[in-house]
Amino acid sequence: MTSTNSGAKPSLLRNPANAPLGKLISFYVRFTPSYSKIGYHARSLFWGSLRPDFRGQTWLVIGGSEGIGGSAARSAVAAGARLISVARNAEKLTAFAQSTAHPDQVQKEVADFSLRSEVWALLDRLQAQGVKIDVLVNNVGIQKRDQIITKEGLETSFVTNILSHYIFTREALSRGLLADNATVIETASGGMYNHPLVVKDLNITGTNTTPAYLGVRAYGLSKRAQVVLTQYWRRKFAGTGRNFYVMHPGWVDTAAVGRSMPRFRETLKSVLRSDPQGADTIVYLAAKRPPQTSDESIWFDRRERTAHIFPRTRAATDTPETLVASLDAYSTRP
Ligand SMILES: NC(=O)c1ccc[n+]([C@@H]2O[C@H](COP(=O)([O-])OP(=O)(O)OC[C@H]3O[C@@H](n4cnc5c(N)ncnc54)[C@H](OP(=O)(O)O)[C@@H]3O)[C@@H](O)[C@H]2O)c1
C-alpha cells in the first residue's frame, strides 16, 4: 500500500516507509507497540478465555477466503456456524472451504465487490435462497497505489471499501436477509485515524482534480467512512436487537500487506500479527455483542476505542447523513 504519487503528502499511518527519518521514528515508536503483536500479547494477558458457540448461526463474510476475513470465517465454522464466504476467486474459495473444520458447512459465493452489479446479483441469489444472516462481516478492503476506474466508472477502492458495504447492508436489511438480532461488523483500519470524513473525495475519478487522487488517502477516507457509516446504522437501529460494530485489526501479516506495502512488511515482519490475532476482535464482538458507550467508537483488541486520536479529524463538515445521502446516490443498480 505504498503510494508513489508525486506532489502529495504521504500518510504516515499507511506509508511510513516514505516519511522523513524523524517522523518515521516517531511513527514507529507511537504505533508499533500497540498495533503489532506486542500490543496483542500484552492486552491478551488480561482477557478471559473466549469459547464461542456459533451453532445455529449463519455467518456471511465478505472477503472470507483468506487473511483476516478468512480467519474470522474459519473460527466461525469451527464454533459451529454455517458460513457463506464471498470472494472473487472460486479456486481459493474451494481451498479455503476444504481447510475449515466443516467444509460441508461452507457455501462459496463468487462476487467482485468492486462492481455494484455483482453486489446486486449476489443479493438476488441470497434472497432467492431465503438466507437469514446472523453475523455479517463487511471485511473486504483494498489499498491501490494507482487510481483504477472500474468498468462501471467508479474508483475501485471507493466501491470495494465502502460503497459495496453500504449497498449490501442496506439491501440485506430491506430484503429481510438479516436476522432480527443480527450482528454487523465492519473491518476498518487504523489508517482512518489520519482523516476526517470528506464525502466529496471518496470517489475521485478524474485525472486533473484538486485534490489529486492519492491511493493511501482514498484508503484512509473510505476507512473513516466505514466508522461513520457504522455510527449511522447504530443510531438508526438503536433499541432494536441488531448490533453494528466497526473494528480495526492492527497490523497483520496478510497477503494484502505483502502485495501493497512490501517495505512496511519487510521492516515489521517479525512483529506483525497473525491472521487469527487480527481477526480476534471480530470473533469477540460476534460472540459477546458487548454494549458500546459511544456510537462513534471503533473496537480494537476487544475494547471500545476513540474514533479520533488527532483533533483535526473531528473538524469535518460532513455528517453520517451526508455520507449516506452520497452513498445512496451511487447505489443505483447498473
Ligand atoms: N492486513 C492488515 O494489516 C490490515 C490492517 C488494517 C486493516 N485491514 C483491513 O482488513 C481487511 C482484510 O484485509 P486483509 O489484509 O486480510 O486482506 P487479504 O489478505 O488480501 O484478504 C482479502 C480477502 O478479500 C477477498 N477480496 C479481495 N478483493 C475482493 C473483491 N473485490 N471482492 C470480493 N472479495 C475480495 C480476497 O479473495 P479474492 O482475492 O479471491 O477476491 C480475500 O478473501 C481489509 O478491509 C483491510 O483494509 C488490514
Side-chain angles (χ1 to χ4, degrees), residues 63 65 68 88-89 92 111-113 139 141 188 219 223 250 252 254 256:
S65 65
I68 295 158
R88 293 166 303 180
N89 184 304
K92 237 159 59 177
D112 183 344
F113 265 52
N139 164 79
Y219 179 81
K223 292 291 169 182
V252 187
T254 64

Side-chain angles (χ1 to χ4, degrees), residues 1 14 62-69 86-89 92 111-114 139-142 160 187-190 219 223 226 248-257 259:
M1 298 182 215
R14 301 304 302 178
I62 300 160
S65 65
E66 69 177 337
I68 295 158
V86 182
R88 293 166 303 180
N89 184 304
K92 237 159 59 177
D112 183 344
F113 265 52
S114 70
N139 164 79
V140 64
I142 50 156
T160 311
T187 308
S189 164
Y219 179 81
K223 292 291 169 182
Q226 284 183 277
H248 83 88
W251 294 339
V252 187
D253 193 5
T254 64
V257 167
R259 260 192 320 268

Side-chain angles (χ1 to χ4, degrees), residues 235-248:
R235 285 179 185 172
K236 188 170 165 118
F237 288 94
T240 72
R242 291 186 174 124
N243 267 302
F244 296 82
Y245 300 105
V246 57
M247 56 77 69
H248 83 88

Side-chain angles (χ1 to χ4, degrees), residues 290-306:
Q292 189 170 311
T293 58
S294 158
D295 67 6
E296 69 163 19
S297 304
I298 183 165
W299 289 76
F300 173 54
D301 281 348
R302 301 191 186 185
R303 256 192 51 200
E304 191 182 341
R305 320 261 169 190
T306 179

